[in-house]
Amino acid sequence: MTDKKLRATITGVGMYVPDKVLDNKYFESIVETNDEWITSRTGIKERRVLENGATSDLAARAVDDLLKSKNMSAEEIDLIIVSTITPDMFFPSTACVVQRKVGAKNAWGFDLSAACSGFVFGLETAASFIESGKYKKVVLVGADKMSAITDYTDRNTCILFGDAASAVLLEPTEDLSYGLQDSVLYCDGTGEDALHMLGGGSRNPATHETVDEKMHYIYQDGRAVFKVAVVGMADAAVEILERNNLKREDISFLAPHQANMRIINATRDRLGLQNDQVMVNIHKYGNTTAATIPLVVTEYYRAGKVKKGDKLVFAAFGGGYTWGAQYIVWSID
Ligand code: UT7
């Protein structure tokens, strides 16, 4: 890894989760399932859904929360990146909609599509803009309204997903010991068969037939994804530790993508971490795709658990397949 003159560091966080809660009991009333199965197989107890509005509403509220907590004007933002697989529409980008909604008059922006790895892919992207020296305030939002693409008659997937958004502000630091230190990122397009939404794009534009065949919903072969996710997320996390000579006791927290508690625990065990070194909120929100990592980091930071100088490892795995891990040194007091 070559040293750079600037590093990108997270200097602010924000989040938004909708009020409406769907608990496991609710799913017992709509599909053939039960709380015991959902809890033991996934760790999920509740998830949130946005009843009115789109992904940009989740994202704009998370950005507003970030700006409020920083006492910062939206006009200071240079660039907005929205990681999402549930954009408001194909175009304009959700980043443009968010730019308007928050009043970020001086920002440009774009969307990034990397499913559950959207935040880690976005962080590497946002950091590059900062490290170039050209941009000083980059807002990265992980936002997904998963309820918009969830088939609530499919028990294999409907119990897993929820809606949320979380945003981070990235700024340059000349103290290279803080901020994003390293990333390992991967994709493997052979994962398409096991996890996809086939309808609505240029391959299968919307027709009566695509609607009848439920092609506008998420399809997941859970067992197939589980097998590769367990290996991929842990391998990437081990790689980032080894590349940076980090021992398990050096790690303050692993912030893993929240898809399944069993995948999180397997990653914890591969790294040899204790339970209290692993950030978890899957029981409250389920899998919120691009939002999971910033959301759990925001909650732990706001609970006073993350301190300046803490060494964090982010790890994600998702559709594509896409996956990766990052090493970050926290710089907010
Ligand atoms: O975030 C993006 C990446 N995605 C992931 O990382 C998700 C990875 N996969 C998973 O988390 C898990 O595979 C699931 C939670 C989706 C499923 O857990 P599993 O232990 O792999 O279950 P399974 O798919 O092997 O299904 C076991 C059984 C099946 O019944 P049979 O075929 O054994 O009779 C399913 O039909 O459980 C059944 N099942 C359910 N039963 C009750 C599937 N969904 C449900 C349900 N309630 N909701």
Side-chain angles (χ1 to χ4, degrees), residues 25-292:
K25 268 256 157 309
Y26 169 77
F27 286 92
E28 289 180 4
S29 73
I30 61 163
V31 289
E32 186 67 41
T33 191
N34 56 75
D35 175 51
E36 198 282 324
W37 191 96
I38 300 172
T39 307
S40 61
R41 298 292 181 117
T42 71
I44 301 167
K45 285 286 190 190
E46 295 180 348
R47 49 313 262 153
R48 303 297 182 98
V49 290
L50 183 69
E51 290 179 282
N52 298 301
T55 295
S56 65
D57 295 300
L58 298 165
R61 285 172 197 158
V63 174
D64 284 340
D65 181 48
L66 161 67
L67 295 172
K68 201 170 148 220
S69 73
K70 287 287 291 177
N71 198 16
M72 177 182 151
S73 156
E75 294 179 19
E76 292 176 52
I77 303 171
D78 298 318
L79 166 61
I80 299 171
I81 302 172
V82 179
S83 291
T84 187
I85 52 161
T86 51
D88 286 26
M89 49 202 151
F90 276 144
F91 73 92
S93 69
T94 303
C96 287
V97 184
V98 172
Q99 181 271 342
R100 172 176 60 79
K101 286 185 175 167
V102 303
K105 292 198 184 98
N106 300 308
W108 63 292
F110 58 89
D111 291 359
L112 189 153
S113 172
C116 297
S117 306
F119 184 76
V120 293
F121 280 28
L123 191 58
E124 174 78 347
T125 307
S128 303
F129 283 104
I130 296 278
E131 288 160 5
S132 76
K134 197 163 176 192
Y135 300 99
K136 303 256 179 304
K137 286 183 166 46
V138 178
V139 169
L140 169 65
V141 195
D144 272 298
K145 187 187 173 188
M146 296 305 291
S147 62
I149 59 166
T150 297
D151 175 1
Y152 285 95
T153 65
D154 174 12
R155 71 174 183 172
N156 292 295
T157 52
C158 70
I159 53 116
L160 298 172
F161 296 100
D163 303 341
S166 182
V168 299
L169 176 67
L170 291 150
E171 293 186 86
T173 171
E174 285 178 13
D175 184 342
L176 304 182
S177 60
Y178 290 113
L180 178 61
Q181 303 291 312
D182 196 15
S183 300
V184 291
L185 303 170
Y186 296 98
C187 75
D188 173 3
T190 63
E192 177 186 312
D193 290 345
L195 185 49
H196 56 233
M197 188 179 90
L198 288 178
S202 55
R203 198 189 297 177
N204 300 293
T207 61
H208 288 293
E209 202 180 21
T210 65
V211 173
D212 290 345
E213 290 180 14
K214 298 191 167 194
M215 288 164 73
H216 301 272
Y217 291 128
I218 308 160
Y219 166 82
Q220 175 170 257
D221 176 346
R223 224 172 280 186
V225 178
F226 188 93
K227 280 186 202 149
V228 280
V230 162
V231 177
M233 204 155 98
D235 278 355
V238 166
E239 188 181 350
I240 204 91
L241 259 59
E242 286 176 355
R243 268 164 64 133
N244 292 278
N245 299 315
L246 293 167
K247 299 189 193 63
R248 61 184 173 207
E249 57 272 20
D250 298 330
I251 304 302
S252 311
F253 285 106
L254 167 72
H257 171 53
Q258 314 274 310
N260 187 313
M261 199 59 214
R262 290 182 291 146
I263 299 174
I264 294 172
N265 287 342
T267 309
R268 174 201 64 196
D269 293 345
R270 268 285 298 285
L271 299 187
L273 301 178
Q274 303 295 317
N275 266 334
D276 61 5
Q277 288 173 288
V278 183
M279 293 185 179
V280 174
N281 64 2
I282 189 172
H283 51 293
K284 294 196 288 183
Y285 306 122
N287 184 349
T288 58
T289 305
T292 61

